[in-house]
Amino acid sequence: MIPIYKPYLPKSVLEYAHKAVDSTWISSQGDFLYEAEEKLKQLLGVSYVQLVNNGTAATHLVAKALTYKYPHIKTLFVPNNVYVAAWNAFKYDNNVELIPIDADEDTWNFDLEKLKEAVQELDEQCAVLVVHNLGNIVDVPALEAELPDGTIIVEDNCEGFMGTYGDHYAGTQSLVSSVSFFGNKTITSGEGGAVIIKDLETANYIKSVQGQGQAKGKRYIHDQLGYNYRMTNIQAALLVGQLEVLPTIKSKKEELFSYYREEFEKIEGVELQKSMPNTAHSNWMTGIRVLGSPSFVAASEYLKEKGVDSRPMFYPMSYHSHLKDVAQSELEVSATRLSKECIILPSYPDITKQERKQVVQSVKDYVKALSV
């Protein structure tokens, strides 16, 4: 079976983890934490990065930062077809009301025209959560310019790491954003994540909250409610190693995505995500839409018989029992259609030429079977 993903872990990366173990600094202190943070700052061109234990914790800190900076904001517009952690992170504290916006069937992100209409109709300052589905980047600076003055944008950039809008990396031009380093992400620390922050005040707040709310410079004195969202030195060591081989990972994935795009564009009845102008896809996961496919289950079972693993596109909000009070199922037409017709395919850096040919041929066979 060709798996959906395998992390790129050459010996040089694993050696860093061994060094962290040998140092005996294996918990949330150690030199690799500082080194990984500094490398991320330099790579992304930002001033403030906070490493955390996973991407969901990072997105929860995005939610905390929004409330910290703008406690009067009570409405957050969100896409209605994203990984559930993006919604959960804002439900933990329930400081804002989530208003879902249906999907755009071209980009698979939320429909920007519907978003702009909804924000314009609101008589109060609000916020928008941008999620870059599968790494297809929303142009945040352009969107901000088209929204009413004072609208606050935050980003779940867990899938968009290394994608760009304009001359900037995704996640760097909003108030605050989250990054995931889960095992299936472009670079990984096993679990792990990061928060990218624009201003020093918010950065200090997030640093405190992720570390049990400890007061600055006063060990065991805590001046606010906090969490244990700290990354370990072992995770950070893996991350340092991954950042060093990132150019290789990017090159491998760019070549794979270019191959997929070229091959799938030849198949009638198959559509790819369309990117916005002035953006570059992060090349995290390749997704295709097979028009007329009866369900993801039908597609995945067929591909499995051909030896190809797959995943569905994220389901609409109404599919999740704990979010039914938020969901607006009558407004999920496009998201529902995408969840039936979209297939996420193996996208790991070291996939072989034979394996990727097998993936493409299996899709061709599935499309042909639908027409019989």
Side-chain angles (χ1 to χ4, degrees):
M1 178 74 70
I2 302 172
I4 194 73
Y5 210 88
K6 291 192 293 187
Y8 182 71
L9 293 170
K11 184 178 179 181
S12 63
V13 171
L14 299 178
E15 285 176 351
Y16 281 98
H18 294 310
K19 288 179 181 178
V21 173
D22 291 342
S23 76
T24 74
W25 293 97
I26 61 173
S27 294
S28 56
Q29 295 184 53
D31 292 342
F32 286 115
L33 289 157
Y34 173 80
E35 186 174 350
E37 190 174 292
E38 291 302 309
K39 283 182 177 292
L40 280 170
K41 288 179 187 178
Q42 184 175 8
L43 172 67
L44 299 175
V46 298
S47 298
Y48 308 107
V49 170
Q50 181 61 58
L51 297 175
V52 295
N53 57 340
N54 60 58
T56 301
T59 307
H60 184 213
L61 291 174
V62 168
K64 300 293 290 187
L66 176 63
T67 297
Y68 171 74
K69 289 286 287 187
Y70 301 95
H72 62 284
I73 288 181
K74 299 302 178 185
T75 303
L76 179 73
F77 291 96
V78 299
N80 75 350
N81 64 326
V82 296
Y83 183 58
V84 70
W87 301 315
N88 286 349
F90 288 86
K91 292 289 284 181
Y92 293 152
D93 301 301
N94 266 336
N95 290 321
V96 291
E97 179 186 6
L98 305 186
I99 306 295
I101 302 295
D102 197 17
D104 181 313
E105 294 188 30
D106 288 332
T107 66
W108 308 4
N109 292 317
F110 50 19
D111 187 314
L112 295 181
E113 294 306 314
K114 290 179 180 177
L115 170 67
K116 286 182 276 190
E117 289 174 8
V119 173
Q120 291 282 359
E121 291 173 0
L122 203 65
D123 293 329
E124 60 190 37
Q125 188 181 22
C126 65
V128 174
L129 173 65
V130 168
V131 182
H132 308 286
N133 268 337
L134 307 186
N136 196 24
I137 305 302
V138 176
D139 189 340
V140 166
L143 175 61
E144 185 176 35
E146 295 179 346
L147 293 173
D149 290 344
T151 304
I152 305 303
I153 296 180
V154 294
E155 294 176 70
D156 177 330
N157 191 41
C158 290
E159 299 163 22
F161 179 71
M162 297 312 294
T164 61
Y165 35 55
D167 296 327
H168 303 283
Y169 283 113
T172 64
Q173 298 302 298
S174 55
L175 170 69
V176 62
S177 70
S178 58
V179 179
S180 172
F181 301 126
F182 184 62
N184 66 1
K185 295 302 189 289
T186 299
I187 60 173
T188 182
S189 53
E191 282 280 358
V195 188
I196 313 301
I197 313 117
K198 261 200 165 182
D199 66 281
L200 177 59
E201 180 188 4
T202 306
N204 286 336
Y205 169 75
I206 287 178
K207 184 175 182 62
S208 174
V209 170
Q210 66 88 37
Q212 304 285 19
Q214 182 168 297
K216 190 174 182 180
K218 297 180 181 179
R219 186 181 291 274
Y220 305 138
I221 299 296
H222 305 263
D223 55 10
Q224 60 190 324
L225 178 66
Y227 306 87
N228 184 4
Y229 283 169
R230 295 171 294 195
M231 177 180 276
T232 69
N233 197 43
I234 295 176
Q235 288 176 304
L238 277 172
L239 187 56
V240 168
Q242 288 274 278
L243 286 166
E244 290 196 352
V245 298
L246 179 57
T248 300
I249 294 173
K250 284 182 62 180
S251 177
K252 286 174 174 286
K253 296 201 77 171
E254 285 169 2
E255 199 275 332
L256 171 63
F257 274 64
S258 177
Y259 172 81
Y260 273 155
R261 281 191 290 270
E262 182 178 340
E263 292 300 315
F264 288 130
E265 284 174 353
K266 300 175 185 176
I267 306 175
E268 187 175 351
V270 171
E271 293 184 353
L272 298 165
Q273 277 182 303
K274 294 181 175 62
S275 294
M276 293 178 64
N278 207 37
T279 68
H281 202 289
S282 75
N283 293 338
W284 174 52
M285 284 286 187
T286 291
I288 61 169
R289 181 181 177 192
V290 179
L291 301 179
S293 180
S295 69
F296 169 73
V297 172
S300 65
E301 289 180 351
Y302 186 95
L303 294 177
K304 186 177 291 186
E305 291 179 358
K306 298 286 186 176
V308 176
D309 195 11
S310 61
R311 294 289 185 274
M313 182 55 191
F314 305 119
Y315 294 102
M317 190 177 280
S318 64
Y319 282 50
H320 308 282
S321 298
H322 71 292
L323 293 168
K324 286 189 179 296
D325 62 323
V326 179
Q328 301 175 32
S329 57
E330 73 278 6
L331 302 179
E332 296 180 341
V333 176
S334 293
T336 301
R337 187 175 293 122
L338 290 174
S339 70
K340 289 175 57 180
E341 297 183 339
C342 293
I343 310 165
I344 315 306
L345 297 168
S347 302
Y348 52 95
D350 265 348
I351 190 169
T352 67
K353 290 184 178 181
Q354 182 57 43
E355 287 171 332
R356 69 188 192 183
K357 286 180 181 179
Q358 184 178 336
V359 171
V360 171
Q361 187 59 52
S362 298
V363 170
K364 288 180 179 179
D365 292 343
Y366 178 64
V367 173
K368 185 176 181 180
L370 288 178
S371 64
V372 175

